[in-house]
Amino acid sequence: MFKINENYLKLPGSYLFSAIGKKVNAYSAAHPDKKIIRLGIGDVTQPLAPAILEALHRAVDEMGRAETFRGYAPDLGYEFLRSAIAGQDYQARGCEISADEIFVSDGAKCDSANIQELFSLDNRIAVCDPVYPVYVDSNVMAGRTGTYDSAKETWSDVIYMPCTADNAFAPELPGDGQTPDLIYLCFPNNPTGAVISKARLQEWVDYANRVGAVILFDAAYEAYISEPDIPHSIYECEGARTCAIELRSFSKNAGFTGLRLGFTVVPKELKCGDVSLHGMWARRHGTKYNGAPYIVQRAGEAVYSPEGKAQLKEQIAAYMKNAAYIFNGLKEAGYTVSGGVNSPYIWLKTPGGMSSWEFFDCLLEQVNVVGTPGSGFGPNGEGYFRLTAFGSYENTVEAVDRIRKLHL
Amino acid sequence: MFKINENYLKLPGSYLFSAIGKKVNAYSAAHPDKKIIRLGIGDVTQPLAPAILEALHRAVDEMGRAETFRGYAPDLGYEFLRSAIAGQDYQARGCEISADEIFVSDGAKCDSANIQELFSLDNRIAVCDPVYPVYVDSNVMAGRTGTYDSAKETWSDVIYMPCTADNAFAPELPGDGQTPDLIYLCFPNNPTGAVISKARLQEWVDYANRVGAVILFDAAYEAYISEPDIPHSIYECEGARTCAIELRSFSKNAGFTGLRLGFTVVPKELKCGDVSLHGMWARRHGTKYNGAPYIVQRAGEAVYSPEGKAQLKEQIAAYMKNAAYIFNGLKEAGYTVSGGVNSPYIWLKTPGGMSSWEFFDCLLEQVNVVGTPGSGFGPNGEGYFRLTAFGSYENTVEAVDRIRKLHL
């Protein structure tokens, strides 16, 4: 008689965004007349930029002619895209990353969920708290997190690194006796919108090299960095090639949430004894994945064209205008807010000591605005709430105005 | 100090098709003047059908307007595609499968590699021998296969079901003391091109229900079935809803190898005690996957339109004309051949007692034709060779003529 992977049963409740979706759908079904404004899930709303559309149409045409038709893609991605990424995202910033260290995929969510497969089940993970749920959940499903304490909402074998107002939402190095093997860091941060300076990130790289840990650095929001001295890549730090894997996405810099494209950088020096993680990830891609669609990889290439870059700069500026509107509007209204400067996320303290889900319900029911409860990202997210800048400007303004009129 | 997933190190050599690719590239680099004909990897060559191109262009246009732009797809696939699949692939054949039992993905390779995650590491798998390498390799990477015997090229904890000329390349039910928990079946078969009758498949379904096993039924080549009484889906068999998961692909019926689309059917009755595998697979999709691209799902929908169906029927007829040419040409030349009637694969015995890789090298070097060594699919594939019908007609004719002229 077959048995299931019991680790799945340990997962508490359903995936955060599915849970939100269900709640919003139920409200919407019961109140079909209400105009709900969604600033919850970090999903973009601007249409694809003209340069990307043009690349897609051209690639579709190629797929329609026998001479230019493309079947299976190279396992690790087309050379044209890997070269563009290595050149423009890394070498142009002085990071020593070559095209064959880039692994093209269908998105950073999948990569960040799959990357843990390369590691021993004995390895101990460290995550920020609050944190993007996929890091922990994918490790739960693999059986790496121990037992769940439903009162504390924590796992026995996970090292939680509190990110609170006291440390400006950037974690401290773990103390003695709490040495992690895998460290998930995401900067600019989801959900808090916080950033980390290059000097602080260098401390993490030095720490990882010292204790023999791997940093899984999620840089999905890199394009939103507006201030100097904030690292765009962990490879700006010395020594990162021997301790860090970087995850990137086209979702937030180019609006690819519905197109699906991302990549992971695994430097060849990153090794456990003689075994290169680069070779292992290549093997995983070759065995369990079949490449991102050709037409989508061509769309990705267009992100690096002069036209594409100019158009996407405008898209991001529009989202950042929303971010500033939310940040300033709520601040003026007396809310305690952070993020939003180098990130499309605004992190706010819930008013009057409400819990995150109480504030979620309140916003949904009273002013029909959807956000994300901070507690969904971890215990230290309790009492906080995430709003995204990915709506339209009109909706963003209306949502902020509605929230400001809320009588609590 | 971090440790790796040691199971990866157990994998012998590199993934079959990567190994072939490297060999062909090396030959090609050394002999740039030679025209190599590739009948190795099962990759299609005909351009996408007009109905699919039109759907793609239209969907790309939608992505360019704010009113019709689509961000994150529903985790499990768009309703329009799930309904088309459930209606036309299942209900129209009398199979009781509903739209919400269809899980849209980026391809059957990924699904067939990922599906094992739902099961306990203690579960014992049974595979045909020869077999598509991903089934075993994905279980090796998870640690489910025991130790490797490099002389026999078998894993200690895998039940191998020989598929030989004696049983017409369709496996016998496992004997006593060899009860599997997970049974991988693929019909029409890759690599042998063999099929299974409905009565024989019913025996498997009855067996699985009796011993409490799950059948993972890979029906990626279903569109090539030309004879009656060959089941297109395992759900044509009674009782399959309580023991079978079916994997399907758009790669071979619609030329989507470079577009990436597939789906998995998990019936709601399929349970281990109280736990539904449907719920588990939904949870996996929600946590570790982010949906197939909207534009590709619209292309998938076009596969079910009247125009799409008519155009794809012609594509498949063209490939089957190739299959018949290979089958008949080699048979006339004295080769022992099978497959090719309900499948795009021709399975042939290597001449003169050559090993599969010897014949591979011989074809590559002497007549510049690439096929796939049968031994790459398992020990019982030794002495066999796979040719695919996915080339152009001209290339197929030329390849067969070249092989016929081969002096061995």
Side-chain angles (χ1 to χ4, degrees):
Chain A
M1 175 71 196
F2 82 93
K3 289 184 289 182
I4 55 162
N5 174 355
E6 301 264 344
N7 295 313
Y8 271 60
L9 306 184
K10 297 179 192 165
L11 283 166
S14 71
Y15 182 65
L16 174 64
F17 297 109
S18 312
I20 292 172
K22 280 178 194 161
K23 246 182 163 170
V24 174
N25 289 343
Y27 180 85
S28 179
H31 305 85
D33 55 313
K34 302 286 189 186
K35 182 195 164 193
I36 295 173
I37 301 180
R38 291 160 203 263
L39 304 181
I41 295 181
D43 198 358
V44 297
T45 54
Q46 290 181 66
L48 293 178
I52 291 162
L53 294 168
E54 200 187 310
L56 281 168
H57 280 302
R58 202 164 46 227
V60 170
D61 285 337
E62 286 183 63
M63 295 293 277
R65 291 189 303 269
E67 320 81 78
T68 50
F69 174 79
R70 309 268 190 144
Y72 289 122
D75 286 345
L76 312 182
Y78 278 103
E79 184 58 31
F80 61 76
L81 180 57
R82 299 173 87 193
S83 294
I85 293 167
Q88 298 203 38
D89 280 331
Y90 294 99
Q91 291 155 13
R93 287 193 185 281
C95 301
E96 183 202 341
I97 293 292
S98 61
D100 63 357
E101 293 174 319
I102 308 292
F103 294 77
V104 176
S105 77
D106 63 336
K109 180 181 175 187
C110 308
D111 282 350
S112 63
N114 292 331
I115 195 79
Q116 48 78 29
E117 268 187 43
L118 301 191
F119 301 95
S120 165
L121 290 180
D122 294 338
N123 278 354
R124 190 126 185 236
I125 69 165
V127 294
C128 292
D129 170 20
V131 68
Y132 177 53
V134 169
Y135 309 149
V136 175
D137 286 0
S138 59
N139 279 287
V140 173
M141 292 155 105
R144 205 176 273 110
T145 56
T147 53
Y148 188 64
D149 181 329
S150 56
K152 288 187 191 163
E153 299 187 355
T154 55
W155 294 90
S156 60
D157 294 357
V158 172
I159 299 170
Y160 292 92
M161 306 183 291
C163 294
T164 63
D166 291 339
N167 58 20
F169 304 103
E172 323 287 340
L173 296 176
D176 291 337
Q178 284 263 300
T179 309
D181 301 299
L182 304 176
I183 302 162
Y184 289 86
L185 293 179
C186 171
F187 289 102
N189 189 257
N190 174 14
T192 67
V195 286
I196 193 170
S197 69
K198 193 168 159 185
R200 282 294 296 280
L201 188 57
Q202 183 66 55
E203 287 174 27
W204 278 97
V205 169
D206 294 341
Y207 171 80
N209 277 321
R210 195 163 66 241
V211 303
V214 173
I215 297 174
L216 302 164
F217 191 74
D218 183 343
Y221 298 93
E222 167 274 333
Y224 291 84
I225 294 172
S226 66
E227 294 181 323
D229 197 40
I230 307 295
H232 289 247
S233 162
I234 196 165
Y235 303 112
E236 293 180 36
C237 296
E238 246 178 89
R241 286 183 58 85
T242 54
C243 71
I245 288 173
E246 183 162 293
L247 306 142
R248 289 271 192 112
S249 166
F250 288 78
S251 289
K252 309 305 163 81
N253 64 335
F256 276 35
T257 53
L259 268 193
R260 313 304 316 139
L261 195 67
F263 63 89
T264 288
V265 185
V266 188
K268 290 185 184 158
E269 276 104 303
L270 184 49
K271 289 183 179 179
C272 177
D274 288 341
V275 183
S276 114
L277 292 183
H278 182 278
M280 289 180 74
W281 192 238
R283 184 67 197 243
R284 192 197 180 280
H285 265 249
T287 304
K288 302 179 81 169
Y289 183 57
N290 228 336
Y294 171 69
I295 57 177
V296 175
Q297 292 195 52
R298 282 290 183 203
E301 183 188 36
V303 169
Y304 296 93
S305 68
E307 305 74 32
K309 281 195 280 192
Q311 292 160 6
L312 294 172
K313 206 171 159 186
E314 279 178 38
Q315 282 200 353
I316 288 169
Y319 290 135
M320 291 311 281
K321 188 177 161 196
N322 294 347
Y325 192 91
I326 301 172
F327 187 97
N328 295 327
L330 295 184
K331 197 170 176 186
E332 278 167 26
Y335 284 83
T336 304
V337 287
S338 58
V341 175
N342 296 292
S343 152
Y345 294 126
I346 286 87
W347 189 241
L348 58 108
K349 227 174 137 45
T350 56
M354 289 173 107
S355 77
S356 299
W357 277 107
E358 280 168 357
F359 190 62
F360 175 90
D361 290 335
C362 166
L363 282 193
L364 175 61
E365 287 161 22
Q366 294 191 32
V367 295
N368 309 139
V369 171
V370 180
T372 311
S375 59
F377 299 101
N380 272 298
E382 181 58 273
Y384 283 89
F385 202 76
R386 191 190 78 175
L387 290 174
T388 87
F390 288 124
S392 68
Y393 184 68
E394 295 66 31
N395 279 344
T396 302
V397 168
E398 188 176 337
V400 171
D401 293 351
R402 288 190 198 171
I403 296 173
R404 292 183 66 155
K405 284 183 196 135
L406 194 64
H407 294 289
L408 296 169
Chain B
M1 174 72 195
F2 82 93
K3 288 185 289 181
I4 55 162
N5 174 356
E6 300 264 343
N7 296 312
Y8 272 60
L9 305 184
K10 298 180 191 165
L11 283 166
S14 72
Y15 184 65
L16 174 63
F17 297 109
S18 311
I20 292 172
K22 280 178 194 162
K23 243 180 165 168
V24 174
N25 289 343
Y27 181 84
S28 179
H31 305 85
D33 54 313
K34 302 286 190 187
K35 181 195 165 193
I36 294 174
I37 301 181
R38 291 159 203 263
L39 304 180
I41 296 181
D43 198 359
V44 297
T45 54
Q46 290 181 66
L48 293 178
I52 292 162
L53 294 168
E54 200 187 310
L56 280 168
H57 280 302
R58 203 165 44 228
V60 169
D61 284 336
E62 287 183 66
M63 295 293 277
R65 292 189 300 271
E67 322 80 80
T68 50
F69 174 80
R70 308 267 190 145
Y72 289 122
D75 286 344
L76 313 182
Y78 278 103
E79 184 58 31
F80 61 77
L81 179 57
R82 300 173 87 193
S83 293
I85 293 168
Q88 298 203 38
D89 281 331
Y90 294 99
Q91 291 155 14
R93 288 194 184 279
C95 301
E96 183 203 340
I97 294 293
S98 60
D100 63 356
E101 293 173 321
I102 308 292
F103 295 76
V104 176
S105 76
D106 64 336
K109 180 180 175 189
C110 308
D111 281 351
S112 63
N114 292 331
I115 195 79
Q116 47 78 30
E117 267 185 44
L118 301 191
F119 301 96
S120 165
L121 290 179
D122 294 338
N123 279 354
R124 189 126 185 236
I125 69 164
V127 295
C128 292
D129 169 20
V131 69
Y132 176 53
V134 169
Y135 309 149
V136 175
D137 287 359
S138 59
N139 279 286
V140 173
M141 292 155 104
R144 205 177 274 109
T145 56
T147 53
Y148 188 64
D149 181 329
S150 57
K152 289 187 189 162
E153 298 187 357
T154 56
W155 294 90
S156 60
D157 294 357
V158 172
I159 299 170
Y160 291 92
M161 306 183 291
C163 294
T164 63
D166 291 341
N167 58 20
F169 305 103
E172 324 286 340
L173 296 176
D176 291 338
Q178 284 264 300
T179 309
D181 301 299
L182 304 176
I183 302 162
Y184 288 85
L185 293 179
C186 171
F187 289 102
N189 189 257
N190 174 15
T192 68
V195 286
I196 193 169
S197 69
K198 193 167 159 183
R200 282 292 298 280
L201 188 58
Q202 183 66 56
E203 287 175 29
W204 277 97
V205 168
D206 294 342
Y207 171 80
N209 276 321
R210 197 162 65 241
V211 303
V214 173
I215 297 175
L216 302 165
F217 191 75
D218 182 343
Y221 298 94
E222 167 273 333
Y224 291 85
I225 293 172
S226 66
E227 295 181 320
D229 198 39
I230 306 295
H232 289 247
S233 163
I234 196 166
Y235 303 112
E236 294 180 35
C237 296
E238 248 178 87
R241 286 183 57 85
T242 54
C243 72
I245 288 173
E246 184 163 291
L247 305 142
R248 290 269 193 113
S249 166
F250 288 77
S251 289
K252 308 306 162 81
N253 64 336
F256 277 34
T257 53
L259 268 192
R260 312 304 318 141
L261 194 67
F263 63 90
T264 289
V265 185
V266 188
K268 290 185 185 158
E269 277 105 301
L270 184 48
K271 289 184 178 177
C272 177
D274 288 340
V275 183
S276 116
L277 293 182
H278 182 279
M280 289 179 74
W281 192 239
R283 184 66 198 244
R284 191 197 180 280
H285 265 250
T287 304
K288 300 179 81 169
Y289 183 57
N290 228 337
Y294 171 70
I295 57 177
V296 176
Q297 293 196 52
R298 282 290 183 203
E301 183 188 37
V303 169
Y304 296 93
S305 68
E307 305 73 34
K309 281 195 281 192
Q311 292 160 6
L312 295 173
K313 207 173 159 184
E314 279 178 40
Q315 281 200 353
I316 288 170
Y319 289 134
M320 291 310 281
K321 189 178 161 195
N322 295 347
Y325 192 90
I326 301 172
F327 186 97
N328 295 326
L330 295 184
K331 197 171 176 185
E332 279 167 24
Y335 283 83
T336 304
V337 287
S338 60
V341 175
N342 296 293
S343 152
Y345 294 125
I346 286 88
W347 188 241
L348 59 107
K349 226 175 137 43
T350 56
M354 289 173 105
S355 77
S356 298
W357 276 109
E358 280 168 358
F359 191 61
F360 175 90
D361 290 335
C362 166
L363 283 193
L364 175 61
E365 287 161 22
Q366 294 191 32
V367 294
N368 310 138
V369 171
V370 179
T372 311
S375 59
F377 299 102
N380 272 297
E382 181 57 273
Y384 284 89
F385 202 75
R386 191 190 77 175
L387 290 174
T388 88
F390 289 125
S392 69
Y393 184 68
E394 295 66 31
N395 280 343
T396 302
V397 168
E398 188 177 336
V400 171
D401 293 351
R402 287 190 198 172
I403 297 173
R404 292 183 67 156
K405 284 183 195 136
L406 194 62
H407 294 290
L408 295 170

